[in-house]
Amino acid sequence: MFSGTKMLGHRGAKGEKPENTIGGITYALNLGLKAIEIDIHLSSDNRLVVIHDDTLDRTTNGTGKVKEATSTDIRALDAGDGEKVPYLEEVLDLLNQYSFTLFIEVKAVGCEKLLTEMINEREIHHKIVVKSFNHRIVKKVKEIAPKIRTACLIYGLPVNAVNIIEASRADGISISVSTVDQALVELCHHHNYSVTVWNVNKVEDLDTFVQMGVDYIGTDFPSIVTLE
Ligand code: G3P
Ligand code: CA
């Protein structure tokens, strides 16, 4: 399904620009990255917004829970350097301008139908990977929209990664660089599942994971390198 190692801009370009913003994402894309990762939550009026935390406090000049704020209130906030908290649609629209794969990490429960409808109505399922630490969300997305690729985020090193992927009917796994090993990569690839690792932030550390054969390497610093 995937071939060759590609770099993935974590939260856009978290280490270099305000995270999960259009400015950060386009910065990474203009450097030549072919994959971007974002996080999504639901606002109180059921809009999908691109933000990592379940509160507004750390990454904006607002306070309180994202799910208790209206999308209008969230849009009035500064997400850093004058950037706004994007609506998911705005990031999806970038797929018309740039050639890249968008990894959408679902942090909110109960948005599977809304998310899959947005992807399907734009006919962009082949450019998307939906992932989550909540594997029930991963499974539900696949049940609703079988054409959308999915991945299970995991902490730690499982005894059998394939069991986890198959239980969620996913297409791959996303795992920390601190725990991934060669055996896991080989097992997943043997079953035609993708492996994404997060995060490598020093150029001298990249080769270990390229040699391991992972499909995507997440980074907070897209400027360190761009791999074909
Ligand atoms: O890509 C995996 C990574 O994004 C998961 O951790 O906390 O950055 O969402 P977090
Ligand atoms: Ca994430």
Side-chain angles (χ1 to χ4, degrees), residues 3-39:
S3 63
T5 303
K6 292 185 171 64
M7 296 302 293
L8 170 70
H10 182 234
R11 307 187 202 170
K14 175 179 178 289
E16 300 181 75
K17 298 287 177 186
E19 68 181 57
N20 281 321
T21 61
I22 296 296
I25 294 165
T26 54
Y27 168 80
L29 293 171
N30 286 328
L31 285 169
L33 264 67
K34 298 298 181 199
I36 295 291
E37 188 258 4
I38 59 170
D39 307 282

Side-chain angles (χ1 to χ4, degrees), residues 1-2 101-102 115-117 119-130 138-151 168-171:
M1 178 194 335
F2 297 105
T101 301
L102 179 64
L115 172 62
T116 54
E117 282 174 358
I119 294 169
N120 284 338
E121 74 191 15
R122 287 173 169 76
E123 299 182 349
I124 52 171
H125 64 271
H126 54 293
K127 300 178 179 179
I128 301 285
V129 179
V130 174
V138 173
K139 187 170 180 231
K140 192 162 182 186
V141 165
K142 184 64 79 175
E143 285 168 355
I144 298 173
K147 285 185 179 174
I148 298 175
R149 290 174 294 173
T150 56
S168 308
R169 298 178 57 199
D171 302 291

Side-chain angles (χ1 to χ4, degrees), residues 10-11 37-39 52 105 107 131 133 153:
H10 182 234
R11 307 187 202 170
E37 188 258 4
I38 59 170
D39 307 282
H52 178 272
E105 182 183 344
K107 300 277 195 191
K131 62 179 188 165
F133 284 107
L153 275 157

